[in-house]
């Protein structure tokens, strides 16, 4: 049997995307289909298990795409040039491996359009997996940094995004909230198939509060707040700093921020005068269950005007940990609605710190409430994060249905 190839590309290298690749490889192995999971090794993000292991199916492959240096997110001209070079790397991979179908998510605008164009020229089915509305996000940021010209640049990127969406065989937004924007950009409604994000439940077992990681950090009995993940222009680290100041003043707990980049460096500088605040680099994915399990409350932040184009997927990983959540997210965002409907945490859409800090103190003082929230969170994850059901939907969008006999195994 001639081997067929599918490329699943996740620019960020996050955990649940590679879980999807592993799953599809396992159910397609008897169909002679090789699954290549490609990602950028030149960007700073918390990443999943991106090495082939002895337990992986033989038709599964991981390909890191490197520019030889890290992409500078906040140097916009350099970033644009780097992302165009990255797009060429991605197309070169496709040229070498000749996939019959490609799924691509988290991919910057220019690189994604280059990939879609390659697929169109080579008769490969392409599904664009929309984690963020990149052009909309870029316009917001650039308009603040470079008035007038920034807005024009953002509109250009929105235009390019629209071309990618319209020229894709399938468009997979992570929330129905993106659908009106896609329709406005001229995307055929029949192509739009929302699939909500999830977290790799099997790789995220619920861990005890006191574990090897918490002991290595010398964490005591005080309430523990943990933020783990990206801190970027979509976030407001001042909320975290103000919480640390309050915890320090009242000697009521610890705040641990696990991130990298300019915002993390800014918090690290302040931590020198705040015993309650610790800032750590991204931890190995294998340690993440213990990291999150060490928390009493897990934190997430999203700027108000980012709600339309971004859904923080860290919330879903947090649910696996079985801990209460404290978030500052626009109330109409999918993640905020989930937290409210499930009653797994507290959320404020306010931009100032006072409500966020006040809610933190409420949770710190109510152990029973935190435990009940955590139990509901884990129950939801165990019910909803079924990779077999999710994988079947993605397989259909790639035009390669999953064999029902494979599903039964």
């Amino acid at each position: 049997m001639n081997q067929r190839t599918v490329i699943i590309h996740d620019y960020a290298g996050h955990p649940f995307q590679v879980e999807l690749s592993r799953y599809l490889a396992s159910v397609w192995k008897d169909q002679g289909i090789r699954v290549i999971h490609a990602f950028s090794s030149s960007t700073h993000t918390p990443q999943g298990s991106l090495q082939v292991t002895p337990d992986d199916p033989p038709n599964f492959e991981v390909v890191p795409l490197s520019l030889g240096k890290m992409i500078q997110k906040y140097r916009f001209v350099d970033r644009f040039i780097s992302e165009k070079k990255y797009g060429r790397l991605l197309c070169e991979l496709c040229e070498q491996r000749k996939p019959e179908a490609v799924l691509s998510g988290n991919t910057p605008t220019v690189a994604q359009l280059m990939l879609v164009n390659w697929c169109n020229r080579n008769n490969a089915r392409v599904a664009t997996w929309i984690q963020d509305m990149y052009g909309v996000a870029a316009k917001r940021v650039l308009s603040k940094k470079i008035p007038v010209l920034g807005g024009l640049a953002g509109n250009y990127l929105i235009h390019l995004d629209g071309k990618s969406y319209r020229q894709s065989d399938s468009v997979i937004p992570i929330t129905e909230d993106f659908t009106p924007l896609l329709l406005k950009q001229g995307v055929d409604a029949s192509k739009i198939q929302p699939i909500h994000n999830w977290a790799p439940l099997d790789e995220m077992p619920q861990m005890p509060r006191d574990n090897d990681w918490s002991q290595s950090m010398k964490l005591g009995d005080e309430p523990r707040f943990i933020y783990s993940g990206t801190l970027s222009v979509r976030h407001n680290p001042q909320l975290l700093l103000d919480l640390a100041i309050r915890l320090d003043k009242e000697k009521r707990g610890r705040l641990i921020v696990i991130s990298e980049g300019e915002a993390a460096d800014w918090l690290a500088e302040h931590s020198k005068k705040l015993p309650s605040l610790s800032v750590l680099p991204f931890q190995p994915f294998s340690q993440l269950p213990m990291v999150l399990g060490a928390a009493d409350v897990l934190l997430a932040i999203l700027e108000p005007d980012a709600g339309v184009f971004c859904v923080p997927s860290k919330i879903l990983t947090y649910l696996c940990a079985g801990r209460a959540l404290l978030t500052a997210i626009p109330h109409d965002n999918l993640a905020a609605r989930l937290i409210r409907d499930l009653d797994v945490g507290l959320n404020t859409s306010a931009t100032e710190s006072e409500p966020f800090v006040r809610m933190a103190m409420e949770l710190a003082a109510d152990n029973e409430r935190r435990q009940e929230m955590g139990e509901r969170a884990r129950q939801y994850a165990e019910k909803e994060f079924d990779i077999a059901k999710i994988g079947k939907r993605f397989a259909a969008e790639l035009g390669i249905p999953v064999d029902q006999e494979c599903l039964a195994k």
Side-chain angles (χ1 to χ4, degrees):
M1 180 185 296
N2 292 328
Q3 190 166 63
R4 302 152 63 191
T5 298
V6 171
I7 291 178
I8 297 180
H9 170 250
D10 171 41
Y11 180 77
H14 287 330
F16 65 94
Q17 287 92 335
V18 72
E19 181 194 33
L20 174 66
S21 295
R22 283 188 162 94
Y23 173 76
L24 290 177
S26 70
V27 296
W28 281 341
K29 64 182 178 181
D30 293 335
Q31 296 173 241
I33 300 174
R34 186 167 192 80
V35 176
I36 297 173
H37 187 88
F39 71 98
S40 170
S41 58
S42 295
T43 185
H44 284 292
T45 60
Q47 297 185 325
S49 178
L50 294 168
Q51 298 82 31
V52 175
T53 71
D55 294 331
D56 285 326
N59 59 324
F60 173 71
E61 182 178 349
V62 177
V63 176
L65 298 176
S66 174
L67 294 172
K69 64 176 183 178
M70 303 307 289
I71 293 174
Q72 301 298 314
K73 290 185 178 181
Y74 305 110
R75 297 177 182 174
F76 296 108
V77 174
D78 289 346
R79 177 174 177 174
F80 183 84
I81 294 171
S82 295
E83 290 173 353
K84 190 170 184 179
K85 290 179 180 177
Y86 184 84
R88 286 197 288 268
L89 285 179
L90 189 52
C91 291
E92 287 171 6
L93 174 66
C94 291
E95 193 64 40
Q96 293 164 5
R97 308 308 287 271
K98 305 295 185 184
E100 67 176 79
V102 177
L103 169 66
S104 181
N106 275 315
T107 313
T109 294
V110 174
Q112 180 67 17
L113 182 57
M114 293 170 70
L115 173 63
V116 170
N117 285 339
W118 185 93
C119 291
N120 291 168
R121 290 194 305 270
N122 291 274
N123 198 32
R125 184 174 177 85
V126 58
T128 293
W129 189 2
I130 306 176
Q131 297 286 328
D132 291 337
M133 304 291 284
Y134 268 99
V136 177
K139 182 177 180 180
R140 167 185 170 267
V141 174
L142 292 172
S143 295
K144 291 180 179 179
K145 295 280 186 179
I146 318 168
V148 183
L149 288 178
L152 293 173
N155 285 335
Y156 176 65
L157 293 175
I158 291 172
H159 168 71
L160 296 185
D161 279 343
K163 289 185 67 175
S164 287
Y165 305 151
R166 291 189 297 273
Q167 293 172 201
S168 296
D169 296 288
S170 177
V171 178
I172 307 172
I174 63 172
T175 169
E176 292 81 359
D177 296 345
F178 292 173
T179 299
L181 292 172
L182 294 171
L183 294 173
K184 187 176 180 180
Q185 289 178 303
V187 181
D188 189 326
S190 65
K191 291 183 178 181
I192 304 171
Q193 299 294 331
I195 300 178
H196 293 181
N197 280 349
W198 70 98
L201 189 64
D202 289 346
E203 299 177 71
M204 290 297 302
Q206 187 172 2
M207 300 296 288
R209 182 178 187 270
D210 294 314
N211 55 58
D212 291 345
W213 188 84
S214 63
Q215 291 172 9
S216 72
M217 288 293 297
K218 297 181 171 56
L219 299 178
D221 294 332
E222 72 276 6
R224 307 167 185 171
F225 297 85
I226 293 180
Y227 179 102
S228 179
T230 305
L231 270 177
S232 70
V233 293
R234 297 187 302 233
H235 311 95
N236 179 11
Q238 185 67 48
L239 296 178
L240 299 176
L241 178 60
D242 289 343
L243 173 56
I245 291 171
R246 179 70 172 272
L247 292 174
D248 207 63
K249 180 180 179 181
E250 298 190 9
K251 295 181 171 51
R252 290 189 61 188
R254 291 279 302 276
L255 170 59
I256 300 170
V257 176
I258 300 169
S259 189
E260 296 178 9
E262 293 182 5
D265 293 342
W266 179 77
L267 286 171
E269 188 63 29
H270 284 281
S271 73
K272 296 175 182 178
K273 298 181 180 179
L274 291 169
S276 66
L277 175 61
S278 300
V279 181
L280 304 175
F282 292 130
Q283 303 294 287
F285 180 70
S286 60
Q287 298 289 306
L288 189 58
M290 287 194 290
V291 171
L292 302 185
D296 293 302
V297 181
L298 293 165
L299 309 175
I301 299 168
L302 191 66
E303 285 286 83
D305 52 357
V308 70
F309 60 81
C310 176
V311 179
S313 59
K314 67 165 60 67
I315 296 295
L316 306 175
T317 305
Y318 286 176
L319 294 176
C320 295
R323 296 294 184 269
L325 278 62
L326 172 62
T327 58
I329 300 174
H331 279 311
D332 57 354
N333 184 273
L334 175 61
R337 299 199 303 268
L338 188 66
I339 292 166
R340 179 179 64 249
D341 293 346
L342 297 177
D343 191 16
V344 295
L346 300 179
N347 178 65
T348 176
S349 62
T351 56
E352 64 271 15
S353 297
E354 192 278 329
F356 185 76
V357 173
R358 172 172 47 79
M359 289 177 177
M361 295 300 101
E362 289 178 17
L363 290 174
D366 196 336
N367 180 58
E368 182 178 354
R369 188 182 187 190
R370 295 197 311 267
Q371 290 184 345
E372 291 173 350
M373 288 176 168
E375 289 172 2
R376 287 191 288 269
R378 180 69 190 189
Q379 288 169 2
Y380 175 84
E382 291 178 351
K383 178 183 177 182
E384 297 295 330
F385 299 163
D386 184 339
I387 190 58
K389 293 180 180 178
I390 295 166
K392 184 178 180 180
R393 294 189 65 190
F394 276 97
E397 295 308 310
L398 288 168
I400 311 174
V402 172
D403 191 302
Q404 292 302 310
E405 292 184 5
C406 294
L407 281 175
K409 292 180 180 179

